Amino acid sequence: MYIGKLGFRMCLSTRVLSVFFYIAIPLTSVAANFYVSANGNDGNSGTSTSSAWKTINKVNSRLYNAGDRILFEGGVTFSGKIYITKGGASANPLTITSYGNGKAVINGGGAEAFFAYNTGGIDLKNIIFKGNGIGVNGIKGGGVGFYNDLGGNIKLSRVYIDNVEIYGFGAINTGAVDGRGYPRRSGGEGISIGGWNGASGFQDVQITNSNVHDNEGNGITVYGLANYSNQNIKIINVTAYNNTGRTSSPDSSQYSGSGIVIYSARQALIERCTAYNNGTRGNGTAGIMILETEGAVIQHNTAYNNRTAGDADGDGFDLDGGTKNSVLQYNFAYGNDGAGILIAEYPGSSVHSNNIVRYNISAADGGKRNYGSFHLWNGSGAGMVRDLHVYNNTFFSDLAVGGTKLLIQFAGNTVQNVNFRNNIFAGASAGVYMMYIPAMSPGLVFHNNNYWAGGTTPIFYVGNKTYNGLSEWQLRAGQDTVSGISENPRFANPRDGANGFKILTGSPMIDRGIAIQGTSKRDYFGSPTPFGKGYDIGAHEYSTGTP
């Protein structure tokens, strides 16, 4: 996503907080359960199912103690916004959940369905939050929102969201237009967690086993005003889909419609998530994206059929501006409008450095945008991408099913210490370029990769010159001269999902890899590495009897 930091902030900075003025005294210092039922009465104590409250207004009328639980009747829809200004503690949170049969539904209507202001210590479990639908009475924030504008760079602890469904939250027109003349829209996120005062934000955030879909903004957004406002973020086993994006405007302040976005965080994990069909009305999108984030691990995820309606992106995975000391591994991208894997550095971001991309598979990505299956962008005014290590990945394109013509594409300035090793770059037929790199940088190295063009001559476009065949590129460009090869990798069946990219018995990729310091001990499929005489080339380490 080629996005200025200011542009991203403009999407998130304006908040309208519905502040409730009341004097509330907790009824007890001992943790208690409070029930809400369709058959309840707000005059009741709320402390049992037979004396339940009836409305969200009653829930909002008091403060709660650490360890309290608010339980909504399962299978029932409650209208309104849950508004919390005092949660529990990290070890003893306030919990909001369902009881009885099924999940309760909180219908926020034209507002957030849940909003926590300047507080952490909250668990949301086994419940559904819904809005009025895309483009209908939208919201400026997220359907589920946690917001911190406390001074002093305070990081509020514990936000846990588990087994929750969040959908149907639309954005709003702000009444202004962007730099390209499009109406400026804001909000409509599914989940929005962040801070907007110095480096204040949240820590110990977990979003697990949840579905976030059919929202107008991003599915999930974690954000901050200053770098590293948030820390220790975990997003595990989440499905983010059909989050459309607010507008197809090419203006960077309007980029929206990604599945999962983490901006401004230290120590993040995105694992076993699926992001698909996001961005159909958006721009600058990706299935899973991080930016201005340090120490992230993105692994065992699938991103497919993500779209863009504008002129940028629609990528599977995006390590965007300011990403550092992070690892992208064991992921599968396919059928995305943009790159399977994007590396981007935008003007004004902090340094993009010391990142690893390994044991991923990209198949038939980039066709609409004509991006590379692997795409690196650091355009005018952007900083240099440094210390990027790309190894043991499989990049495949099939023009017959909409894949890109470019397996690797660089667009922008020079790079420093960027290397590609033990990768498979394969096209199903003629017409696929192994790489398109208009300006070759002395800091760019290819070593021990396989370049296969379906039995035809592989084409390399480097430094404004076209090289027909591996040997010509090796001789004239001086790259991958020692052990680069051009041989059929012998995939099982490239149109059969990730398993189709396992290599068969007798593949020339077997034992042809080089040892890389600090490499993973597992391949994409979980098999140990190395097996046999040495490492293999590509994302699959062949072992006896596989596939």
Side-chain angles (χ1 to χ4, degrees):
M1 183 167 84
Y2 317 151
I3 175 170
K5 185 183 296 185
L6 176 61
F8 190 88
R9 290 174 176 173
M10 287 175 65
C11 298
L12 297 165
S13 59
T14 305
R15 292 286 316 165
V16 176
L17 303 180
S18 302
V19 180
F20 294 82
F21 294 95
Y22 55 84
I23 299 175
I25 301 174
L27 297 179
T28 175
S29 61
V30 178
N33 291 339
F34 298 93
Y35 296 87
V36 189
S37 168
N39 298 316
N41 187 303
D42 287 347
N44 291 338
S45 67
T47 55
S48 69
T49 56
S50 60
S51 61
W53 297 332
K54 186 177 181 66
T55 69
I56 289 175
N57 284 340
K58 180 63 178 181
V59 172
N60 293 337
S61 70
R62 58 158 294 150
L63 300 178
Y64 297 91
N65 294 309
D68 283 354
R69 296 196 305 163
I70 303 170
L71 301 99
F72 289 85
E73 184 180 3
V76 176
T77 297
F78 299 87
S79 296
K81 173 171 70 174
I82 301 172
Y83 185 91
I84 302 295
T85 58
K86 179 179 178 292
S90 294
N92 203 16
L94 170 67
T95 299
I96 298 174
T97 186
S98 303
Y99 77 91
N101 296 320
K103 295 179 181 178
V105 178
I106 308 300
N107 186 348
E112 298 98 333
F114 174 89
F115 188 74
Y117 180 49
N118 286 343
T119 188
I122 295 175
D123 288 11
L124 304 178
K125 295 182 177 181
N126 304 318
I127 198 164
I128 298 170
F129 299 96
K130 71 181 294 289
N132 278 349
I134 292 173
V136 180
N137 295 325
I139 56 174
K140 283 194 173 182
V144 169
F146 290 82
Y147 184 74
N148 176 5
D149 63 1
L150 295 170
N153 300 327
I154 293 173
K155 291 175 173 51
L156 300 169
S157 294
R158 185 158 181 155
V159 172
Y160 288 7
I161 301 172
D162 181 62
N163 196 24
V164 166
E165 182 179 10
I166 300 165
Y167 69 95
F169 292 95
I172 64 168
N173 280 322
T174 66
V177 296
D178 64 25
R180 306 294 184 93
Y182 286 74
R184 186 177 296 285
R185 293 178 65 76
S186 178
E189 318 291 326
I191 299 174
S192 176
I193 301 172
W196 210 256
N197 190 346
S200 290
F202 292 87
Q203 62 186 0
D204 189 17
V205 174
Q206 297 186 19
I207 306 172
T208 55
N209 307 311
S210 296
N211 293 322
V212 186
H213 62 96
D214 292 282
N215 301 291
E216 193 170 347
N218 300 323
I220 298 173
T221 300
V222 177
Y223 68 95
L225 178 61
N227 286 350
Y228 314 129
S229 296
N230 308 284
Q231 63 187 32
N232 298 326
I233 313 297
K234 295 181 179 179
I235 303 175
I236 302 172
N237 196 31
V238 168
T239 303
Y241 62 97
N242 293 349
N243 299 291
T244 62
R246 294 183 288 263
T247 174
S248 59
S249 170
D251 190 88
S252 63
S253 68
Q254 295 256 54
Y255 286 172
S256 64
S258 293
I260 298 170
V261 177
I262 296 179
Y263 172 85
S264 181
R266 267 200 176 99
Q267 306 305 316
L269 173 66
I270 304 175
E271 182 177 75
R272 302 193 187 282
C273 295
T274 302
Y276 67 92
N277 203 40
N278 299 291
T280 54
R281 294 173 48 192
N283 196 17
T285 59
I288 295 175
M289 175 193 309
I290 63 171
L291 57 165
E292 292 297 355
T293 292
E294 180 176 18
V297 176
I298 304 173
Q299 61 183 10
H300 302 295
N301 305 289
T302 301
Y304 66 95
N305 294 351
N306 292 291
R307 306 304 183 200
T308 179
D311 63 355
D313 300 299
D315 310 304
F317 299 93
D318 178 3
L319 304 186
D320 217 290
T323 298
K324 54 182 67 68
N325 303 321
S326 296
V327 179
L328 180 73
Q329 61 185 7
Y330 316 133
N331 301 290
F332 183 33
Y334 66 93
N336 298 290
D337 282 356
I341 297 173
L342 174 71
I343 305 294
E345 181 77 331
Y346 56 81
S349 67
S350 64
V351 64
H352 196 299
S353 66
N354 198 34
N355 298 302
I356 294 172
V357 177
R358 65 187 179 194
Y359 288 103
N360 303 285
I361 299 172
S362 167
D365 292 308
K368 177 180 178 179
R369 295 294 311 142
N370 203 27
Y371 281 19
S373 183
F374 178 96
H375 195 95
L376 189 150
W377 186 93
N378 58 333
S380 178
M384 184 181 294
V385 173
R386 302 174 181 174
D387 304 319
L388 175 66
H389 309 285
V390 183
Y391 60 87
N392 282 103
N393 302 282
T394 296
F395 298 99
F396 177 81
S397 184
D398 187 345
L399 299 180
V401 293
T404 181
K405 294 180 179 179
L406 312 171
L407 287 166
I408 305 173
Q409 182 174 191
F410 279 30
N413 300 318
T414 57
V415 298
Q416 179 177 311
N417 190 27
V418 172
N419 52 75
F420 292 79
R421 295 170 289 176
N422 287 356
N423 300 287
I424 296 174
F425 302 104
S429 60
V432 176
Y433 283 68
M434 297 296 105
M435 60 189 66
Y436 186 89
I437 306 175
M440 187 67 183
S441 169
L444 176 61
V445 175
F446 291 87
H447 182 51
N448 206 72
N449 301 289
N450 181 52
Y451 311 90
W452 176 249
T456 65
T457 300
I459 303 171
F460 302 78
Y461 183 87
V462 180
N464 292 319
K465 295 180 181 178
T466 300
Y467 301 97
N468 292 296
L470 175 61
S471 59
E472 182 180 354
W473 178 59
Q474 290 172 318
L475 176 66
R476 299 186 181 279
Q479 286 282 355
D480 222 338
T481 57
V482 176
S483 52
I485 58 176
S486 179
E487 298 187 40
N488 185 348
R490 296 198 64 202
F491 294 131
N493 180 359
R495 294 187 181 180
D496 188 28
N499 283 331
F501 292 95
K502 290 181 176 181
I503 52 177
L504 298 173
T505 301
S507 168
M509 305 300 102
I510 297 172
D511 296 337
R512 294 283 287 272
I514 56 172
I516 297 173
Q517 185 176 4
T519 189
S520 170
K521 295 181 179 180
R522 299 280 173 180
D523 71 355
Y524 172 88
F525 300 96
S527 300
T529 63
F531 181 88
K533 296 179 181 180
Y535 292 91
D536 297 349
I537 297 175
H540 177 219
E541 182 77 13
Y542 178 87
S543 58
T544 303
T546 65

